[in-house]
Amino acid sequence: MTQLNTPYPSTAYLTGFLRSRGVQARQVDLALALVLALFAPEGLQQMHAAVLALPEAAQTVQTRWFAADFNAIAAAAPRVIAFLQGRDPTLAHRINTRTFLPEGKRFDTLEAYVDEDGGDPLAWAFGALGLQDRARHLATLFLNDLADVLRDAVDARFEFVRYAESLAAAQAHFDPLADALAAPPNLVDRTLHRLTLAALEQHTPDVVLLSVPFPGSVYAALRIAQAIKAARPEVVCVLGGGYVNTELRELAEPRLFDFVDYVTLDAGERPLLALLEHVAGKRSKTRLVRTFWRDGEAVKYTNFVEPDIPFDDVGTPTWDGLPLDRYLSLLDMLNPMNRLWSDGRWNKLTVAHGCYWKKCSFCDVSLDYISRYEAASAEVLVDRIEAIVKETGQTGFHLVDEAAPPKVLRALAEELLRRGVAISWWGNIRFEKTFTPELCQLLADSGCIAISGGLEVASDRLLQLMKKGVSVEQVARVTKAFADAGVLVHAYLMYGFPTQTTQDTVDALEYVRQLFEHGCIHSGFFHRFACTVHSPVGMDPAAYGVTLQPLPPGRFAKNDIAFIDPTPTDHDRLGQGLKKGLYNFMHGIGVDEDVRSWFPLRVPKTTVPRRFVEHALSR
């Protein structure tokens, strides 16, 4: 499970590439199909039976709501799905009356938004005319209520995005997954099994590739593989994707190969070409590329060295075969940047493989998806864009690069304008000095509507330690240039980095306050630093003043690693203040107040000059 509003791009890229090499490739999004099946009339009836079968002691607020209002829920759900798919937009009027949708506990969050006059609780977010937005948010709350019922009555691990994530994330042992896969199938499992068999019958594949981008995709992927092996054991199943590339690099667990035949690492094009030649009897296993396989009870890794496919030659991604009119345009988080992730269907596109900077000490810079940098020419990129628009009929693009290179973005913008190609696009960058006001305006003219970038710890000392290559002053000028060009600016923020003090943390919130005060950024998100084994901090902890804790022995996943930081900072409680302050700044609240008021504990006064950002912008 990744997103419900748009297809994850890996299958579109691989389908397009394999077809360009003469392979008959088809793609299926079983995650979307699963959710649509669960909330279809038959799925809701089965959920209802599961709720009624619960003993009284196991009933929750949500299951009681579902049982009491089931008839109204069952009547509303198909209409809500059609509305979120864009097929029934006039339903927004009924949804906004707050009498059409049965409201469960998720709607309690709206009470926090009631204004002082007791008026419209969502007026601050959507204004008087935001009919569709308001209705999508209410409809999303309704779906979240249904997800809660699934979690309470069917599968406690169910999530729309992070389904059963704990079974796979940095999990040294395969036992939790093995136990879950051996357990009797529940309603979600049975539904996925039925959908898998239907896809097998429709496409009759010889080889099935399972893309696993995140830990929350692993359990369901292996349930799919389990169903395939039971029905057609001769089908070759292959596991790949972002999760595999980061967490299974030292895979030694033979039980995984009870479900899949091969596991491939990093960019999939070259390993898959080699693997398909092997399946066709044209290549031995000793000439596989970046591929794990089982030999008896031992796991073997074969990497016959062959050059990767140049990024210019990977072809144009295709969404052919995916039901683009059935994805759900959700509006879950009211954060203006986060809503771009879940609201609307975006064509995902990469402008360069890897990261051109590849120095940040918190990042997995040692892995291929960061370390091997290759850019495509602007001509090739716009050719791909035009082909995608022609195929999908949609002109919105999400550039999914780790950090889109400014040189490539300039060339892309100039080529889009030269050809008169009108699109909307957004993506991630580094707030570096190359993004001058002139370049920011050029990007906006070419269709850039939003950018996000890492301000991270908002401390020049720590930015230098993490080799970010930017300063707070520089970030202020770059973000202001984008904002002045009419581009929405989102800042990724971090706390808990090695040696970060309480003073650093208070100062970081003051920098952020001033950036909001001067209109440099429009949204942001604070996340807790996590050390990974592939990052510079994980590989050389002494350079960052921390000590790593030993990893548990195991033969499966390895990624996050705990560490001991001797700096006496209560990051858990400080994090509460950072998130509370940021949330209020995004809504224009308390932007001129002392930042100490947001923290739940006594903190020192900020050392940041009150007019720091103002002076940075004037320079």
Side-chain angles (χ1 to χ4, degrees):
M1 307 284 270
T2 54
Q3 295 174 254
L4 294 177
N5 64 308
T6 196
Y8 192 76
S10 59
T11 66
Y13 261 100
L14 289 175
T15 303
F17 170 74
L18 291 171
R19 288 183 182 179
S20 74
R21 298 303 177 101
V23 178
Q24 295 184 33
R26 301 285 184 270
Q27 57 188 331
V28 179
D29 188 343
L30 289 182
L32 175 69
L34 175 64
V35 170
L36 296 181
L38 289 170
F39 295 158
E42 182 182 351
L44 290 171
Q45 288 288 352
Q46 293 172 318
M47 284 174 58
H48 189 223
V51 167
L52 296 180
L54 287 175
E56 178 60 30
Q59 295 285 350
T60 66
V61 171
Q62 291 292 65
T63 59
R64 291 190 182 96
W65 161 78
F66 185 80
D69 287 351
F70 177 70
N71 289 336
I73 291 168
R79 300 273 58 83
V80 168
I81 294 294
F83 169 73
L84 291 172
Q85 291 170 332
R87 295 186 291 116
D88 192 4
T90 57
L91 189 69
H93 295 276
R94 287 205 67 190
I95 292 174
N96 287 334
T97 65
R98 298 286 300 276
T99 60
F100 175 68
L101 295 181
E103 297 186 358
K105 192 168 178 58
R106 290 293 186 130
F107 285 79
D108 291 351
T109 58
L110 298 180
E111 303 309 314
Y113 304 141
V114 174
D115 63 32
E116 294 178 358
D117 300 323
D120 181 2
L122 290 178
W124 66 270
F126 302 117
L129 298 176
L131 177 76
Q132 293 291 322
D133 281 355
R134 186 191 307 253
R136 275 209 302 280
H137 183 57
L138 295 172
T140 301
L141 293 177
F142 176 70
L143 286 196
N144 287 336
D145 273 330
L146 296 183
D148 289 345
V149 175
L150 271 172
R151 194 176 306 114
D152 292 348
V154 176
D155 188 342
R157 304 160 304 194
F158 185 82
E159 298 277 355
F160 282 139
V161 175
R162 296 179 171 180
Y163 182 31
E165 182 181 61
S166 62
L167 297 178
Q171 186 62 256
H173 299 286
F174 191 66
D175 292 350
L177 269 170
D179 293 344
L181 293 163
N186 57 42
L187 170 60
V188 180
D189 299 325
R190 293 193 301 272
T191 306
L192 186 57
H193 184 273
R194 173 171 55 81
L195 294 168
T196 301
L197 295 186
L200 268 183
E201 183 176 350
Q202 178 184 356
H203 297 291
T204 61
D206 301 306
V207 177
V208 171
L209 312 177
L210 295 163
S211 183
V212 188
F214 307 113
S217 312
V218 177
Y219 170 73
L222 295 183
R223 277 290 190 187
I224 292 169
Q226 188 180 50
I228 293 171
K229 285 300 182 185
R232 287 188 54 197
E234 74 281 4
V235 173
V236 175
C237 291
V238 189
L239 201 66
Y243 168 81
V244 174
N245 300 337
T246 53
E247 304 214 17
L248 299 187
R249 303 194 73 86
E250 298 177 30
L251 179 64
E253 175 54 75
R255 289 178 293 172
L256 177 61
F257 295 90
D258 293 339
F259 304 90
V260 297
D261 300 282
Y262 300 97
V263 177
T264 66
L265 292 181
D266 300 328
E269 290 85 3
R270 178 60 71 190
L272 290 177
L273 289 181
L275 184 57
L276 293 175
E277 285 185 7
H278 168 66
V279 171
K282 299 176 182 178
R283 179 185 286 242
S284 70
K285 277 187 176 178
T286 60
R287 297 180 66 242
L288 293 175
V289 178
R290 296 197 298 271
T291 301
F292 290 101
W293 49 283
R294 182 168 65 182
D295 184 10
E297 285 304 305
V299 176
K300 299 289 185 69
Y301 178 67
T302 303
N303 185 16
F304 184 78
V305 179
E306 292 185 10
D308 273 299
I309 306 297
F311 187 66
D312 256 352
D313 297 337
V314 297
T316 301
T318 177
W319 283 265
D320 178 46
L322 297 178
L324 299 185
D325 60 341
R326 291 296 182 264
Y327 285 86
L328 303 171
S329 187
L330 304 177
L331 189 44
D332 194 353
M333 300 182 69
L334 301 181
N335 176 306
M337 176 58 83
N338 286 342
R339 68 172 287 181
L340 287 178
W341 284 91
S342 61
D343 182 13
R345 204 202 70 72
W346 299 93
N347 297 312
K348 307 264 187 175
L349 187 71
T350 308
V351 302
H353 181 282
C355 178
Y356 69 99
W357 179 251
K358 55 189 174 189
K359 294 180 183 178
C360 298
S361 56
F362 55 82
C363 188
D364 291 340
V365 296
S366 62
L367 300 186
D368 176 80
Y369 82 100
I370 298 292
S371 64
R372 180 169 61 86
Y373 175 69
E374 288 183 40
S377 68
E379 292 77 12
V380 167
L381 289 173
V382 179
D383 285 347
R384 291 175 182 173
I385 286 171
E386 289 189 307
I388 291 168
V389 171
K390 183 178 180 181
E391 178 187 296
T392 66
Q394 294 175 314
T395 59
F397 286 80
H398 174 199
L399 307 185
V400 294
D401 300 70
E402 296 297 315
K407 182 178 179 181
V408 176
L409 289 182
R410 176 184 287 276
L412 173 63
E414 290 172 345
E415 185 68 9
L416 286 168
L417 292 169
R418 187 184 71 80
R419 295 196 201 180
V421 177
I423 64 169
S424 303
W425 63 269
W426 59 286
N428 198 46
I429 63 164
R430 292 180 61 249
F431 292 130
E432 62 165 76
K433 61 184 179 182
T434 312
F435 289 104
T436 61
E438 176 267 334
L439 177 55
C440 294
Q441 187 61 57
L442 174 68
L443 298 181
D445 292 343
S446 76
C448 178
I449 59 169
I451 56 96
S452 56
L455 175 54
E456 316 307 353
V457 286
S459 156
D460 284 337
R461 176 184 75 83
L462 291 173
L463 285 170
Q464 286 183 338
L465 181 62
M466 61 172 53
K467 297 182 175 62
K468 186 69 184 176
V470 300
S471 66
V472 177
E473 186 171 311
Q474 180 179 307
V475 169
R477 287 196 286 267
V478 171
T479 53
K480 182 63 172 172
F482 273 109
D484 286 348
V487 176
L488 174 69
V489 182
H490 175 86
Y492 289 115
L493 299 156
M494 181 188 297
Y495 67 100
F497 192 76
T499 74
Q500 184 172 5
T501 65
T502 300
Q503 185 70 65
D504 289 328
T505 306
V506 174
D507 288 350
L509 190 58
E510 173 61 17
Y511 282 127
V512 170
R513 184 198 68 76
Q514 291 188 29
L515 290 171
F516 274 100
E517 181 182 34
H518 291 281
C520 298
I521 61 177
H522 307 99
S523 76
F525 183 78
F526 270 107
H527 66 94
R528 179 74 175 265
F529 168 75
C531 179
T532 69
V533 295
H534 309 295
S535 68
V537 177
M539 293 186 289
D540 186 14
Y544 300 89
V546 298
T547 304
L548 301 184
Q549 294 187 317
L551 283 168
R555 300 188 295 183
F556 192 53
K558 181 189 293 188
N559 192 41
D560 292 357
I561 182 168
F563 63 94
I564 299 172
D565 184 349
T567 310
T569 308
D570 188 348
H571 294 301
D572 289 335
R573 297 190 70 196
L574 289 172
Q576 297 172 26
L578 292 173
K579 293 173 181 177
K580 185 177 181 180
L582 181 62
Y583 179 85
N584 282 277
F585 296 160
M586 284 192 290
H587 297 114
I589 300 170
V591 180
D592 55 352
E593 296 179 8
D594 190 322
V595 294
R596 288 177 292 179
S597 64
W598 302 113
F599 294 98
L601 69 166
R602 189 178 181 86
V603 295
K605 184 178 181 180
T606 181
T607 63
V608 179
R610 185 78 179 176
R611 300 174 68 185
F612 177 89
V613 168
E614 180 185 337
H615 289 157
L617 296 176
S618 68
R619 286 192 289 273

